């Protein structure tokens, strides 16, 4: 199945997506870049009129919205301009389903001062069909002494809803919830991080949404931008989901005991 | 079926035939194994390397007294030093600068192995985060390719577990445009065998677990050919006073 791409921006961070026209097995033939955004419980599709050269599409900041997703598709694969879910066109497209390396786009963020940072990004289709929990440490990619620290939490869900859920900031040693923030589905959610939250043992935990946590730290106009891996990435044996599941259950217990009462 | 599929022999056969090739030839039926990505360090050109990592046994298994060892190698895979860290926090950080490297201004690789005296019946992987710091500005990148492992019950280190093909070259084309950009590619060979590598028009060889930096200026695409399945570089990109590090 296909991969999706996304961007993020705010009043002081812009972004640019560079999507290749090739994968490691072939070059595209009739693909174009499309965007989709949720509206009134439908995905509204549009062809993106962006710059391109022989090898890449370049989607500049002005074309990137926090509520939109981007993907490559042949015009023939897009039968309608609105869909009730994204399975319908995702099933027809496997150009961006590649091994051993995932089909990725370069997601670059930059500020007006010249600082920039990027990573090779993708949002796999398989993640869009599930709900779940993301657990990720916050001190490992943020800097307590930076001028600004942010996390963008990017969720893409196959249904075009904008449901809200929570991100908890949990100290997993003391089992205390330090902060709660709302996020919404199908959006690049910006979470401003107070520097005093950036401590060892403090993790973010999403109570209902899968997603990719993107960490941005800005100091002296220099930007660091990277994502964390999900916990099961750190266990290779077959018992990984069992072990990670137990850890997440412990966090859920903390939340149930101290927050939802 | 899973036991057969996960075995080292079957993975080597898959890689030999090219049918559903395996990225790593590690036997996933093993228990109590600590694996490590190959992490880059660099102290050349005023760089420092910050390594931030999670105590994996503490996070997942609630270990109280876990420890780790970090092994450092130069770019030709010569052993430099090792450090042992005990009483780990959940998050930990070390700085690799030229003082740490006995005034060496160079680059190479390092590997981290966690220790536990308990039987967790698991294989863990450290694929945490290296920050490259230049003039106090820092850019972080996560781990790259599993390259080494160690059984928890003996001292032997096993390197070069990255998957490779036997006949066919594999293409790794970096999915970014480098037009008008000044970049360095850090490559390391995660396999057991010497690799012949072609990057755009340049041929070179890289011995097992050795690393190299290649510079490129104003090319649209960078295409890497080798018998390694995932010869994924770390990319340093420079523009005026700013730089960025990410995996390719």
């Amino acid at each position: 199945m296909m991969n999706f791409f996304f961007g993020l921006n705010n009043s002081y961070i812009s972004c640019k997506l560079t999507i290749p026209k090739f994968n490691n097995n072939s070059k595209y033939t009739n693909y174009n870049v499309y965007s989709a955004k949720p509206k009134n419980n439908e995905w509204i599709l549009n062809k993106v009129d962006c710059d391109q050269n022989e090898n890449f599409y370049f989607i500049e900041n002005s074309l990137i919205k926090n509520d939109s997703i981007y993907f490559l598709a042949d015009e023939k694969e897009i039968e309608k301009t609105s869909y009730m879910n994204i399975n319908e066109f995702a099933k027809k497209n496997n150009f961006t389903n590649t091994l051993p390396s995932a089909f990725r786009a370069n997601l670059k963020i930059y500020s007006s001062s010249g600082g920039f940072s990027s990573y090779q990004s993708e949002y796999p289709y398989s993640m869009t069909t599930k709900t779940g929990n993301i657990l990720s440490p916050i001190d490992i990619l943020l800097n307590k002494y930076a001028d600004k620290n942010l996390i963008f939490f990017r969720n893409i869900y196959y249904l075009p809803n904008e449901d809200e859920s929570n991100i908890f900031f949990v100290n997993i040693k003391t089992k205390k919830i330090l902060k709660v923030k709302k996020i919404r589905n199908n959006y690049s959610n910006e979470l401003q991080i107070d520097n005093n939250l950036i401590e060892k043992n403090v993790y973010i935990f999403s109570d209902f949404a899968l997603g990719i946590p993107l960490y941005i730290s800005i100091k002296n106009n220099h930007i660091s931008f990277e994502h964390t891996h999900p916990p099961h990435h750190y266990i290779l044996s077959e018992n990984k989901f069992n072990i990670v599941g137990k850890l997440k259950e412990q966090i859920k217990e903390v939340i149930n005991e101290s927050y939802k009462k | 079926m899973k036991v057969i599929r996960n075995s080292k022999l079957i993975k080597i056969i898959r890689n030999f035939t090219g049918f559903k090739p395996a990225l790593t030839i590690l036997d996933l039926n093993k228990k109590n194994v600590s694996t490590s990505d190959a992490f880059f360090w660099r102290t050349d050109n005023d760089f420092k390397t910050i390594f931030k990592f999670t105590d994996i046994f503490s996070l997942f298994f609630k270990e109280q007294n876990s420890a780790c060892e970090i092994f450092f190698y130069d770019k030709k895979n010569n052993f430099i030093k090792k450090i042992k860290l005990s009483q780990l926090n959940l998050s930990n950080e070390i700085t690799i600068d030229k003082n740490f490297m006995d005034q060496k201004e160079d680059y190479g690789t390092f590997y981290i192995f966690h220790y536990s005296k308990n039987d967790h019946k698991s294989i863990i992987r450290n694929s945490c985060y290296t920050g490259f710091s230049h003039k106090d500005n820092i850019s972080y990148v996560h781990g790259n390719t599993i390259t080494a492992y160690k059984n928890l019950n003996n001292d032997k280190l096993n390197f070069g577990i990255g998957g490779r093909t036997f006949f066919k070259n594999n293409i790794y084309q970096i999915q970014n445009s480098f037009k008008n950009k000044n970049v360095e590619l850090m490559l390391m060979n995660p396999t057991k065998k010497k690799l012949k590598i072609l990057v755009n028009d340049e041929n070179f060889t890289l011995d097992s677990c050795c690393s190299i930096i290649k510079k490129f200026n104003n090319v649209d695409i960078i295409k890497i050919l080798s018998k390694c399945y995932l010869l994924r570089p770390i990319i340093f990109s420079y523009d005026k006073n700013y730089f960025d590090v990410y995996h390719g």
Side-chain angles (χ1 to χ4, degrees), chain B residues 29-246:
Chain B
N29 299 313
K30 286 175 181 282
K31 305 291 177 209
N32 299 319
V33 170
S34 178
T35 72
S36 175
D37 287 14
F39 297 97
F40 280 111
W41 62 268
R42 71 184 301 185
T43 54
D44 62 328
N45 297 324
D46 293 326
F47 270 103
K48 286 191 286 190
T49 307
I50 317 293
F51 181 50
K52 285 185 164 184
F53 65 96
T54 300
D55 179 359
I56 296 172
F57 282 124
S58 171
L59 177 64
F60 293 107
F61 303 103
K62 308 298 172 211
E63 284 263 345
Q64 297 295 318
N65 298 306
S66 51
C68 71
E69 277 187 311
I70 307 178
F71 295 76
F72 295 87
Y73 296 82
D74 69 12
K75 62 191 173 210
K76 292 183 177 166
N77 199 32
N78 297 309
F79 175 74
I80 298 174
K81 68 196 287 187
K82 73 172 178 180
I83 57 172
K84 183 162 186 175
L85 303 172
S86 50
Q87 296 182 320
L88 295 173
N89 294 309
L90 200 50
S91 300
N92 304 274
E93 179 175 331
I94 62 163
T95 299
I96 304 153
D97 57 14
K98 67 178 182 182
N99 291 329
F100 180 90
M101 281 295 176
D102 303 326
Q103 304 309 310
K104 201 184 285 279
E105 294 184 34
D106 207 348
Y107 63 87
T109 50
F110 64 94
Y111 305 87
I112 175 169
F113 302 101
H114 294 259
Y115 293 92
S116 166
K117 288 175 182 162
N118 297 316
D119 177 10
H120 296 300
K121 298 183 172 57
S122 300
I123 304 173
I124 62 161
R125 173 186 183 184
N126 192 308
S127 181
C128 289
Y129 306 90
T130 32
F132 293 93
S133 167
H134 193 253
K135 294 177 184 166
D136 285 333
N137 295 320
I138 192 161
S139 186
Y140 281 100
V141 62
H142 62 65
N144 204 13
T145 309
I146 305 174
T147 303
Y149 74 92
K150 184 182 173 304
N151 291 308
L152 297 186
N153 54 5
N154 68 44
D155 289 333
K156 190 184 170 199
L157 304 180
N158 303 275
F159 292 95
I161 58 170
R164 57 183 281 273
T165 43
F166 287 77
F167 304 111
K168 187 185 147 204
N169 270 323
N170 305 290
I171 300 169
Y172 191 88
Q173 194 157 328
I174 302 170
Q175 295 155 332
N176 194 11
S177 170
F178 298 97
K179 205 156 236 176
N180 303 316
K181 287 178 191 164
N182 178 18
V183 295
E184 292 175 318
L185 260 57
M186 283 187 113
L187 285 158
M188 76 84 58
N189 174 0
T191 75
K192 265 200 176 356
K193 300 280 185 184
K194 179 190 272 197
L195 284 178
K196 287 182 186 171
I197 300 169
L198 174 66
V199 184
N200 288 358
D201 299 327
E202 189 182 349
N203 275 298
F204 57 95
T205 59
L206 204 53
D207 283 324
S208 175
C209 295
C210 290
S211 50
I212 196 166
I213 293 180
K214 290 285 176 188
K215 294 185 179 186
F216 292 87
N217 189 21
N218 194 25
V219 292
D220 195 26
I221 59 171
I222 295 179
K223 193 172 182 174
I224 303 167
L225 257 78
S226 76
K227 288 196 165 59
C228 177
Y229 266 124
L230 194 63
L231 198 59
R232 182 163 67 173
I234 299 291
I235 299 164
F236 286 71
S237 180
Y238 301 91
D239 188 6
K240 299 188 184 81
N241 295 323
Y242 298 99
F243 74 99
D244 176 30
V245 188
Y246 59 101

